[in-house]
Amino acid sequence: MLDIPSRRQVMEEQHQAGGRVAAVFPIHYPRALLQAHGFLPIEVWGPPGTDVGEADAHLQSYVCDIVRRGLGFVLAGGLRDCDCLLVPHGCDSLQGLGSILLDFHHPGLPVLTFYLARGEGPAALDFTVAELAGLSQALADISGRPLDEQAWNRHLEIEVAAEAALARLWRERRQLELDNAELYRLLRCRNYLAADRFRELLDKVLDRHRGAAPGQKAILLGGIVAEPVGLLEVIDRAGGLVVGDAGCNLGRRLYRAVDDEPDPARRQARRLLGGPPDATRGAAPSRIAEHLLEQAAGSGARALVVTNPKFCEPELFVLPEVTRLLEAAGLRVLVLELELSRDLPAAAANRLEAFLETL
Ligand code: SF4
């Protein structure tokens, strides 16, 4: 079993070292900017299994589980040890969550927002740079310290190195003696470990766990997030091998390095805007499908398993056309709509096992 620090441990260490913690909802946000201001981002994707009773009183019944459980977690006091909460505008549901927390149900810590422009042209770049400036000012107001631009550039470099290590891990996946459940236990650390520690952990695992990967049936995982944990366990039991990730939580946040930009704000913005095609950033189905086919060809994946929370609008808009294009090109696709719980429901497990059997 890999030796992985827990979220709680990482937060305590950050506070003991005199730093601050920013809770962050999905999806895209400037990690390096937060770090440059002395805030360690700790992401909140649910968490799975969180009680949603109180949250449901504030939300429409067709809101996804990421937002429902996220609000449930906030209302249950789950952020009591955090110094601020950042709610990026990943989709309309997240924007609605930001409004609830800013205007109606203040969680007792500063709530910040960040809107990443859709599109990639000059207007999108200017808009995102302005958003970064606003966020930076809000962080400086909380910390009482101005932004250190050199630190911002330094943290951008660290992020790039962490993403390069992640890309290497996927390239070498078949020589990594880790089952899928253990691999994703490692990868989930990206949501709360500082990028340099995450990279060190990956490097160590890549050096110490050489061998043949268990599982033969190569698949990509896509969708929003590879949850519940039981999903990976079913893939392990059925002989599947995850050789690439195309989900919001991991694969769609492997941004470009952008080495030709000295200004950290423009570099950060260009990185965020130039990430892999993503429905939540308004990418067209044809671009998403093209990227997935390239990823499948590069990794040898024969199928894509998509896991989405129910009612995920951005994904539902593109999935029918993306699926049609992928299947027409010979890539098998299974779409599972799931709640953020610990176990995979029996019906979904059966569908997944049957799908993997046919590969
Ligand atoms: S699961 Fe979909 S609808 Fe929910 S927060 Fe994520 S992108 Fe938005």
Side-chain angles (χ1 to χ4, degrees), residues 65-134:
D65 235 21
I66 295 268
V67 167
R68 289 168 68 229
R69 294 196 195 267
L71 182 58
F73 188 64
V74 173
L75 297 178
L79 304 186
R80 70 176 70 84
D81 295 328
C82 298
D83 300 286
C84 70
L85 168 62
L86 174 62
V87 189
H89 182 165
C91 62
D92 289 351
S93 299
L94 283 165
Q95 187 187 24
L97 176 62
S99 299
I100 289 172
L101 294 172
L102 277 167
D103 301 332
F104 300 111
H105 233 293
H106 203 273
L109 75 174
V111 178
L112 315 176
T113 58
F114 172 68
Y115 189 105
L116 177 62
R118 276 44 176 174
E120 292 168 23
L125 180 61
D126 290 346
F127 181 89
T128 303
V129 168
E131 278 287 296
L132 289 168

Side-chain angles (χ1 to χ4, degrees), residues 78-194:
L79 304 186
R80 70 176 70 84
D81 295 328
C82 298
D83 300 286
C84 70
L85 168 62
L86 174 62
V87 189
H89 182 165
C91 62
D92 289 351
S93 299
L94 283 165
Q95 187 187 24
L97 176 62
S99 299
I100 289 172
L101 294 172
L102 277 167
D103 301 332
F104 300 111
H105 233 293
H106 203 273
L109 75 174
V111 178
L112 315 176
T113 58
F114 172 68
Y115 189 105
L116 177 62
R118 276 44 176 174
E120 292 168 23
L125 180 61
D126 290 346
F127 181 89
T128 303
V129 168
E131 278 287 296
L132 289 168
L135 177 59
S136 179
Q137 187 56 55
L139 292 167
D141 290 345
I142 298 168
S143 71
R145 288 194 334 232
L147 170 66
D148 176 347
E149 292 216 344
Q150 283 185 348
W152 194 357
N153 259 326
R154 201 167 56 247
H155 282 289
L156 280 164
E157 292 295 337
I158 294 170
E159 292 293 336
V160 169
E163 287 164 20
L166 199 44
R168 178 183 160 213
L169 178 140
W170 286 120
R171 280 197 307 276
E172 299 179 14
R173 171 66 180 112
R174 288 169 197 269
Q175 292 87 52
L176 202 53
E177 206 172 8
L178 282 184
D179 64 24
N180 299 299
E182 195 66 349
L183 175 71
Y184 270 80
R185 204 167 73 80
L186 167 70
L187 296 177
R188 280 192 198 96
C189 292
R190 179 70 170 132
N191 295 348
Y192 62 87
L193 265 191

Side-chain angles (χ1 to χ4, degrees), residues 18-19 35 54 75 126 208 232 338 358:
Q35 291 262 262
E54 210 189 326
L75 297 178
D126 290 346
R208 294 191 185 161
L232 284 315
L338 301 166
T358 64

